[in-house]
Amino acid sequence: MLFPQFRAILVERVFTECGVVHIVARTLDGTASCPDCELPSSHVHSRYERRLADTPVGDQPVVIALTVRRLYCDNALCGRRTFVEQVAGLTFRYGRRTQASGRVLAIVAVALAGRAGARLAAVLQTRVSRTTLLRAIMALPDPLWAVPKVLGVDDFATRRGHHYGTVLIDCETGRPLDLLPGRDASTLAGWLREHPGAEIICRDRASAYTRAIKEAAPDAVEVADRWHLLQNLAGAVEKTCHQHRACLRKRVDEVTSRIPEAPPLMQLPLHELPRTPIMERTRHRHADVQKLVAAGWTISAIARRLHLDRKTVRRFRDTDLDQLLASANERQPAGVLEPFKPYLNTRFTESLGQVSGSRLFLEICERGYRGSRQVVRKHLTALRAGNAEPIRADVPSPRKITSWIMRPQDSLPPELERRLLDVRIACPDIARACDLARAFAELLRHRRGFLLTEWIRQAEQDAPKPISGFAGFLRQDLAAVTAGLTLHWSSGIVEGHVNRVKTLKRAMYGRASFGLLRTRILLTP
């Protein structure tokens, strides 16, 4: 019961030596079948001893010294004259370990591959090299599968920017089917011809996969992935916000100019730009460029001398120093005190500069300030010296505006909804992009693909250029996008397997072959 693999052998002796359990055994007398003609034979040619590594017992490695027989094949028509008997469940041809030990090492190899697997095997009292584990992986057969009804296709990078592959997934069961070395149309088309039968194919917006499906599986229904559609739409919205950032700046300036300011009760010193490291670097770089330009150096020569890009040299040559310093000052990150500076400046002028920093610190803490007292004192010192930084207008970034637009409207907090309303008032184009983006998101979330054509028509009529370009891109792939906005199938499970491919690829540190990566992907549960 404890060692069922020993039923077909006779154990003669068991002893322990140097921390290793040794089992001396021999095969039982009887007949054995020829591996070629399967004719039973009991005609003994000779005997010899095989040494097999077995699974450990009691945290001790086990070695089996098994005496086996070499038998004659009595079939005159068989090409094999002699053969060695094999013990079912224990030995296999040319094996130097038992079948149980081989199965354990195969599982370790699939999970951890080379060096990491060898380290774990040593803990399990089975010392093997990394190459042995890699050979064990590559000797495993591919799992059996049938062509699925719903097939998922996506690409992954074996070396980003240089080499890519294609992963194929059964979307119904979530099992990986195959990995292809490439993401071009011919690679996928060849696979689809060899494995016909897929009725629905989920893919992203890659044009190569579209061509391959139309060429090799024209009857299959293509389903464009919904997540990629939202991602492309978000990119178009963000581009629109970038193009109309001047409208947002103008709106903020107008609102700021209408805010009544407290009458200055004292004359503050003139503002001076802070002497921060970036400001000093800008001054020195401008002086160096102007000096070399005056000496007759070319832009390329100056770029090589100062280790700068040619566009950077041209900008420092053609732009005034004041404008460069103002641009550098705007790049300074806004601190935690920034929203409270208008209040501090007003209180400072009302008190003729006599208010204490501790008192102002307590006042802004009541209004939500969470910074340190030292930051407030530093700002007041800058006000008295006349070198305080100007208060930046609160203009949200294009990415932040895009995040407000792409979120479901009922999940947006009231404060963000108010700020988004200010943005919509500031720029009609952004407001139109917001309306169209939210309408498309509603079509996608509620599977209203039958309204897609009307949405594309509206977007192509009066939408900003990035949104109308996105609509034209949808029209080129109208059938697949409509299916993606109608059917419940998507490439979500495929994206999960792509992440698993990345994890296994990085675990092998990029030194393994594509064949090894493919085997581990297909065999890893």
Side-chain angles (χ1 to χ4, degrees):
M1 294 178 61
L2 294 178
F3 305 100
Q5 67 272 27
F6 292 164
R7 290 178 180 176
I9 64 175
L10 177 62
V11 178
E12 299 178 338
R13 184 184 175 199
V14 178
F15 63 96
T16 302
E17 183 178 356
C18 299
V20 179
V21 178
H22 293 268
I23 300 177
V24 180
R26 64 178 179 85
T27 58
L28 300 176
D29 296 333
T31 60
S33 298
C34 174
D36 290 350
C37 65
E38 298 184 356
L39 182 68
S41 174
S42 59
H43 189 184
V44 178
H45 173 276
S46 60
R47 289 179 172 85
Y48 73 96
E49 184 178 276
R50 297 180 61 177
R51 294 181 61 84
L52 306 172
D54 198 7
T55 53
V57 173
D59 201 25
Q60 291 180 326
V62 177
V63 176
I64 301 175
L66 179 63
T67 301
V68 296
R69 300 176 298 169
R70 180 178 292 276
L71 304 173
Y72 286 104
C73 180
D74 296 330
N75 187 0
L77 300 179
C78 181
R80 184 183 295 274
R81 304 315 304 160
T82 63
F83 64 91
V84 177
E85 60 180 343
Q86 303 295 338
V87 180
L90 188 64
T91 66
F92 56 92
R93 194 177 182 190
Y94 302 128
R96 301 184 64 180
R97 60 186 68 255
T98 62
Q99 293 184 11
S101 178
R103 286 193 298 268
V104 171
L105 289 183
I107 294 173
V108 171
V110 169
L112 298 175
R115 288 184 174 87
R119 291 193 292 268
L120 178 59
V123 176
L124 299 177
Q125 301 301 327
T126 305
R127 298 190 177 276
V128 292
S129 65
R130 60 183 180 87
T131 54
T132 300
L133 292 177
L134 296 182
R135 286 196 300 269
I137 298 176
M138 301 307 294
L140 295 174
D142 291 345
L144 299 177
W145 49 267
V147 177
K149 176 183 176 183
V150 183
L151 177 67
V153 181
D154 203 354
D155 63 335
F156 65 94
T158 54
R159 184 184 177 192
R160 190 172 182 84
H162 296 82
H163 305 293
Y164 289 85
T166 299
V167 59
L168 302 167
I169 305 298
D170 184 350
C171 292
E172 293 182 304
T173 63
R175 290 181 52 192
L177 303 179
D178 206 347
L179 260 69
L180 307 180
R183 61 173 180 176
D184 54 303
S186 59
T187 301
L188 179 59
W191 191 93
L192 291 175
R193 291 192 191 96
E194 295 176 1
H195 308 86
E199 300 178 8
I200 300 174
I201 301 179
C202 302
R203 57 167 177 81
D204 57 12
R205 307 298 307 285
S207 58
Y209 292 154
T210 303
R211 294 194 303 270
I213 296 171
K214 293 186 183 303
E215 176 185 347
D219 297 332
V221 177
E222 300 181 53
V223 178
D225 183 52
R226 292 185 288 273
W227 184 87
H228 286 91
L229 293 174
L230 283 180
Q231 185 189 40
N232 295 338
L233 176 61
V237 172
E238 185 174 353
K239 196 178 224 181
T240 303
C241 297
H242 267 294
Q243 293 176 352
H244 297 276
R245 188 160 173 78
C247 300
L248 305 180
R249 175 68 65 180
K250 182 179 178 181
R251 168 71 178 176
V252 170
D253 293 341
E254 291 176 356
V255 173
T256 304
S257 63
R258 292 198 298 267
I259 298 177
E261 298 181 357
L265 302 179
M266 63 173 293
Q267 187 68 31
L268 294 176
L270 294 177
H271 170 72
E272 295 181 2
L273 291 176
R275 305 190 71 85
T276 59
I278 189 173
M279 306 290 286
E280 293 300 314
R281 185 181 65 191
T282 302
R283 290 189 179 94
H284 294 321
R285 185 170 291 175
H286 181 269
D288 294 340
V289 171
Q290 294 297 329
K291 180 179 179 181
L292 294 176
V293 168
W297 287 47
T298 64
I299 291 180
S300 299
I302 298 174
R304 288 192 297 268
R305 174 63 179 249
L306 301 180
H307 304 288
L308 298 174
D309 188 81
R310 296 176 72 254
K311 294 188 290 296
T312 303
V313 174
R314 187 179 290 108
R315 182 166 64 89
F316 275 85
R317 183 196 65 177
D318 301 336
T319 310
D320 294 335
L321 178 60
D322 294 339
Q323 186 175 350
L324 291 173
L325 291 176
S327 176
N329 188 48
E330 290 180 357
R331 294 200 299 271
Q332 296 291 328
V336 68
L337 188 64
E338 201 70 29
F340 305 94
K341 283 184 179 180
Y343 178 81
L344 293 177
N345 293 357
T346 302
R347 291 282 290 112
F348 183 82
T349 56
E350 290 175 350
S351 65
L352 300 177
Q354 302 302 317
V355 64
S356 66
S358 299
R359 181 175 178 180
L360 290 179
F361 172 74
L362 295 176
E363 291 179 4
I364 63 175
C365 283
E366 295 176 356
R367 290 164 172 80
Y369 176 67
R370 293 296 179 266
S372 66
R373 189 189 304 264
Q374 188 64 27
V375 176
V376 179
R377 291 177 177 174
K378 186 176 181 180
H379 179 68
L380 294 178
T381 302
L383 284 177
R384 294 187 179 97
N387 57 0
E389 296 183 11
I391 302 174
R392 296 183 179 89
D394 185 14
V395 179
S397 65
R399 178 166 294 184
K400 186 175 293 185
I401 298 174
T402 303
S403 68
W404 299 342
I405 294 174
M406 298 307 296
R407 286 177 60 176
Q409 191 170 1
D410 54 358
S411 68
L412 199 64
E415 175 62 22
L416 297 184
E417 186 68 35
R418 181 190 62 78
R419 297 189 65 183
L420 180 58
L421 179 61
D422 293 340
V423 172
R424 291 169 59 93
I425 295 174
C427 182
D429 286 338
I430 295 181
R432 181 58 178 162
C434 176
D435 293 337
L436 289 172
R438 286 182 167 177
F440 184 85
E442 288 298 315
L443 298 183
L444 185 144
R445 293 188 180 102
H446 298 287
R447 307 287 195 277
R448 297 171 180 169
F450 61 92
L451 298 176
L452 178 62
T453 305
E454 177 63 21
W455 185 91
I456 294 177
R457 186 187 63 79
Q458 294 179 8
E460 290 177 338
Q461 279 184 352
D462 57 353
K465 189 173 181 180
I467 303 296
S468 61
F470 171 73
F473 192 41
L474 295 184
R475 187 177 291 278
Q476 297 176 7
D477 199 16
L478 184 60
V481 176
T482 304
L485 269 61
T486 305
L487 304 178
H488 72 280
W489 298 108
S490 71
S491 299
I493 192 169
V494 187
E495 294 293 338
H497 279 279
V498 170
N499 290 334
R500 193 165 68 95
V501 170
K502 294 177 182 178
T503 301
L504 293 179
K505 179 194 69 174
R506 290 164 184 165
M508 296 189 294
Y509 304 101
R511 296 179 183 146
S513 65
F514 182 85
L516 177 61
L517 177 63
R518 175 183 177 276
T519 303
R520 291 193 67 194
I521 292 297
L522 298 182
L523 295 178
T524 302

